[in-house]
Amino acid sequence: MPTTTPHTARPTPPAPNLRSLTGLRFLALLPVFLTHAAFEGVFTDPRKSWDFLDAMGSAGYASVSFFFILSGFVITWSYRSTDTTRRFWRRRAFRVFPNHLVAYVFAVALMLAAGTAFDVPGMVAQLFLVHAWVPDPLFIDTGNTVTWSLGADVAFYALFPVLLLLVNKIKPTRLWYAAGAVALLVVALPTVALTLLPDTPAMAVGGVSRSQYWFTYFFPLSRVVECVLGMLMARIVLTGKWIRLGVLPAAALVAVGYVVAQQLPFLYRLSAVLVVPLALLTAALAVADAEGRGTPLGSRAMVWLGELSFAFYLVHQVILAYGHVLLSPRDADGGVLPRTWGTAGGIGMIALSFVVSMALAWLLHNGVEKPVMRRWSRPRRQAAPRPPAKVPAT
């Protein structure tokens, strides 16, 4: 292990709780929430919905890319040599599936209450988190649609033990080269999609086909590449190979990259341009926390919000999609007449959806996520065998 400088001091052992990155999780969720809100078209004037969507740009897509990078980074950062593959998979399974199953049942209940038709194959695939493997985005567009990303996470968790072996074999002096190669692969994915996949049937937005969009954005193995980049960034920091890039310069690179991305074709705006700045920002925040400098993102309030982020992610889309339908009138045959609002009413509806989603996230986090992780994420310790009873002498 190379000698580290004070700037790149390696925590011993690496801190599993990176407070600034936990806080950033919540901030990154806001563009996702607002983008999904824009898609629901709650405004009576459709131009306002389109303006809202245009204003969001690719911010929601950038946040999703950050979450995949973060997943690879944090899991590699917190992994211990004493961990086994079985223990790792156990923790990940109890982290993902209990929350997912509760949110799934909640989504089904809302769909029934709203009178929304079911896509049975899609809902069955969603239950087992395999729906993102079907090469059609419309297959994912049912129920709790955001769970496609959990399917990508599950694929990463399944591959992680092997990926970690490969990443750990890379010499510290070559980690930056490996990270650059992986980043170039992310950048190349849109070109691969546009070159090799058919350009029909076309999507309603973006000027690309369903298969091209699916391969670039939803295909689990495409997103695993971003997770691997996060793994490499964690190894770069842990081996003392981090460069002297502070949090503010890294954040500035993200801002510049975002502006540049808006000028490019649709598929390149999803993650290709921002993947490097986001990876650098992730590592810079981790270094700040590891060195004890911290950031405002690591405040108690931000960490609390960040801890609710997974639960919030799982419930917010169904609230946006089906919650306002429950407030809509019905026709004589019982069909829903989708209700819309003016500017003030639409903003109020979105704000109400956010508050309700936060309340449900708190319940899910404290009522399911924390108790399950505390009780079942680790195998129970076996009690030490009792010594055999002495046999009385006769």
Side-chain angles (χ1 to χ4, degrees), residues 75-162:
I75 290 176
T76 304
W77 180 272
S78 60
Y79 195 83
R80 298 289 187 274
S81 59
T82 55
D83 284 340
T84 65
T85 297
R86 180 178 295 181
R87 287 179 181 175
F88 171 77
W89 282 340
R90 179 190 181 101
R91 285 199 306 272
R92 292 295 98 194
F94 281 107
R95 163 73 170 165
V96 170
F97 281 97
N99 270 13
H100 161 59
L101 293 176
V102 173
Y104 180 90
V105 172
F106 179 61
V108 170
L110 280 181
M111 293 173 73
L112 290 173
T116 304
F118 280 80
D119 180 82
V120 175
M123 291 299 293
V124 172
Q126 186 177 116
L127 176 62
F128 295 99
L129 296 180
V130 296
H131 47 319
W133 292 91
V134 178
D136 187 349
L138 297 184
F139 187 79
I140 299 169
D141 193 20
T142 188
N144 196 8
T145 60
V146 298
T147 55
W148 70 267
S149 65
L150 297 190
D153 284 333
V154 168
F156 170 57
Y157 300 153
L159 295 171
F160 178 78
V162 174

Side-chain angles (χ1 to χ4, degrees), residues 259-346:
V259 173
V260 172
Q262 306 317 299
Q263 315 308 315
L264 298 178
F266 175 69
L267 290 185
Y268 293 92
R269 297 201 300 264
L270 304 182
S271 60
V273 177
L274 279 171
V275 67
V276 171
L278 288 171
L280 293 174
L281 177 61
T282 301
L285 286 168
V287 169
D289 281 348
E291 294 179 349
R293 291 182 284 115
T295 71
L297 292 170
S299 67
R300 179 178 297 182
M302 289 303 302
V303 169
W304 180 78
L305 290 169
E307 289 173 346
L308 296 182
S309 61
F310 179 47
F312 180 89
Y313 180 76
L314 284 178
V315 300
H316 83 275
Q317 191 272 331
V318 292
I319 293 296
L320 287 167
Y322 308 115
H324 74 278
V325 176
L326 296 177
L327 302 178
S328 299
R330 306 293 177 110
D331 59 24
D333 298 324
V336 175
L337 300 172
R339 184 177 179 183
T340 57
W341 290 265
T343 302

